Amino acid sequence: MLLNGLPSLAAPAEFFYNAVMPAQRIPKRSSGEGSFDLSRYLNSRTAAANRALDRFLPKATTKPATIHQAMRYSLFAGGKRLRPVLCLAAAEACGGAIEPALPLACAVECIHTYSLIHDDLPAMDNDDYRRGKLTNHKVFGEGIAVLAGDGLLTQAFEIAAQCRGWPRYSHRDVIRELAEAAGSLQLIAGQVADLEGEGKKTSAAQLRYIHERKTSALLRCSVRLGGMSANCTAAQLEALGDFGYHVGLAFQIIDDILDVTQTSEQLGKTAGKDVTAQKATYPSIVGMERSRKIAGELTDRAFAALKVFKGKAVALGALAEYLLKRDR
Ligand code: GRG
């Protein structure tokens, strides 16, 4: 069933609806320690990622200044920094420190931001707002927005190449991990399927295909890279992939739910776009209540993957719970 660590596309549609192990085999969700201060953790790790991004990116005044302003405009527009924080938390779960993980955390955020800039373009989702601000093309024009996305995607690999390299994971492994997640079999494949599915009847299996690629692949990559930066074992790397895959699917279901239930002000982007664009979503296929249940079940699976860390993945567990309960 697993192909390159991802469940095969030939998996039956039922997988989508029964995306859980039998209930008795799933450990109850618990981040391990009641006293974990997630808010403090998020603040400190987000600040570390922001400082590192600022260091890695060319200054806004570096020539040609327009492109560097445009890259920085979207990168520092107030994103939640979930992927970098997950990357750092994965490193810590494997006994590593955040410093060696930072180039990888920043690389993932650059790729994520590029994908948002391009997704917002008139040729794609045609959005005016993102992260509570005007979209990149609304401020800089379409040409520069395309280039700002290209610049961030390329920058990601330059930043990742600055990582240390580890006994179990070379630079080659790191670059390949990033390229696979961002490439035409994953992130781009998800976007292609999303574009081509608009206005068409979409099956549950097709929707899962889109979510695995458009959302899960980069989240999975984030935690795996964090593990690599801590020279994690093969078993830990597999567990992190499993965790990221399920958190990613749950994350997208919640995103679809929020698109319907929250306002544009709360989301910082245009709410209700999925209905307007006639996009298939979990709520539109299985309804709101079932969607919430599936997101909870996927989060249970993510938790189950953490058991190999024997209580050391408290931050990852708390983040998974937070992502399930988020309101923006
Ligand atoms: C253009 C190659 C290409 C891909 C675009 C990212 C994407 C694929 C589309 C954007 C729309 C979308 C629903 C993507 C799925 C992932 C997702 C929910 C992104 C939003 O992530 P957040 O909530 O955003 O972490 P912030 O702004 O907080 O970083």
Side-chain angles (χ1 to χ4, degrees):
M1 191 82 149
L2 286 181
L3 181 69
N4 295 332
L6 287 172
S8 121
L9 300 181
E14 290 75 37
F15 177 90
F16 201 66
Y17 299 103
N18 302 311
V20 285
M21 297 184 285
Q24 67 274 14
R25 279 168 49 205
I26 296 184
K28 221 175 156 37
R29 233 183 280 151
S30 152
S31 46
E33 282 166 34
S35 59
F36 183 73
D37 187 344
L38 179 64
S39 164
R40 200 165 152 201
Y41 186 84
L42 277 171
N43 286 338
S44 80
R45 299 309 184 264
T46 300
N50 284 338
R51 283 193 299 271
L53 282 166
D54 188 43
R55 263 197 330 267
F56 284 126
L57 262 280
K59 300 263 169 291
T61 49
T62 304
K63 274 189 184 170
T66 322
I67 188 67
H68 299 125
Q69 281 163 11
M71 287 161 69
R72 282 176 166 266
Y73 173 80
S74 291
L75 199 56
F76 295 103
K80 297 185 285 296
R81 303 290 192 235
L82 300 174
R83 293 151 193 82
V85 173
L86 281 165
C87 178
L88 300 180
E92 293 174 281
C94 298
I98 68 166
E99 205 54 44
L102 277 169
L104 309 183
C106 292
V108 172
E109 186 67 9
C110 287
I111 291 177
H112 168 59
T113 305
Y114 125 76
S115 78
L116 298 179
I117 295 174
H118 281 196
D119 183 63
D120 290 334
L121 286 167
M124 299 223 192
D125 251 16
N126 192 17
D127 243 305
D128 292 352
Y129 290 95
R130 171 71 69 180
R131 293 176 164 174
K133 296 173 80 171
L134 282 171
T135 43
N136 201 290
H137 65 274
K138 283 276 158 192
V139 177
F140 296 94
E142 283 179 44
I144 293 294
V146 170
L147 293 169
D150 295 343
L152 285 168
L153 176 60
T154 314
Q155 187 77 50
F157 289 92
E158 188 186 328
I159 297 172
Q162 294 177 47
C163 76
R164 232 183 242 172
W166 298 273
R168 291 194 183 100
Y169 307 101
S170 63
H171 287 84
R172 179 178 176 273
D173 296 322
V174 162
I175 298 297
R176 191 168 177 185
E177 184 79 24
L178 265 181
E180 279 183 3
S184 62
L185 297 181
Q186 295 296 332
L187 182 65
I188 292 173
Q191 184 73 349
V192 170
D194 202 28
L195 277 178
E196 292 181 345
E198 272 182 33
K200 292 195 192 131
K201 195 168 160 40
T202 305
S203 69
Q206 282 164 327
L207 187 56
R208 184 168 67 89
Y209 173 94
I210 293 172
H211 287 189
E212 281 173 353
R213 283 153 188 79
K214 194 176 80 169
T215 314
S216 227
L218 204 53
L219 283 157
R220 178 176 174 273
C221 167
S222 306
V223 287
R224 279 173 55 94
L225 287 173
M228 289 181 179
S229 78
N231 197 37
C232 69
T233 63
Q236 288 173 326
L237 190 64
E238 198 183 324
L240 287 171
D242 195 15
F243 172 82
Y245 172 76
H246 289 99
V247 161
L249 291 183
F251 180 81
Q252 185 58 58
I253 296 177
I254 298 300
D255 206 69
D256 288 352
I257 292 174
L258 295 177
D259 184 68
V260 184
T261 58
Q262 303 297 94
T263 64
S264 300
E265 288 68 34
Q266 284 163 319
L267 296 180
K269 60 183 179 183
T270 316
K273 286 272 313 201
D274 295 339
V275 178
T276 317
Q278 294 183 285
K279 271 196 184 168
T281 63
Y282 266 80
S284 71
I285 292 188
V286 301
M288 198 60 88
E289 203 183 316
R290 185 88 185 100
S291 298
R292 285 192 208 284
K293 188 160 186 287
I294 296 172
E297 289 168 350
L298 289 162
T299 304
D300 287 340
R301 273 198 97 154
F303 265 85
L306 296 181
K307 67 175 185 296
V308 299
F309 296 101
K310 300 188 171 70
K312 293 214 171 78
V314 181
L316 283 179
L319 284 164
E321 189 85 39
Y322 161 75
L323 294 181
L324 181 68
K325 295 183 177 156
R326 73 198 171 99
D327 59 9
R328 74 178 186 107

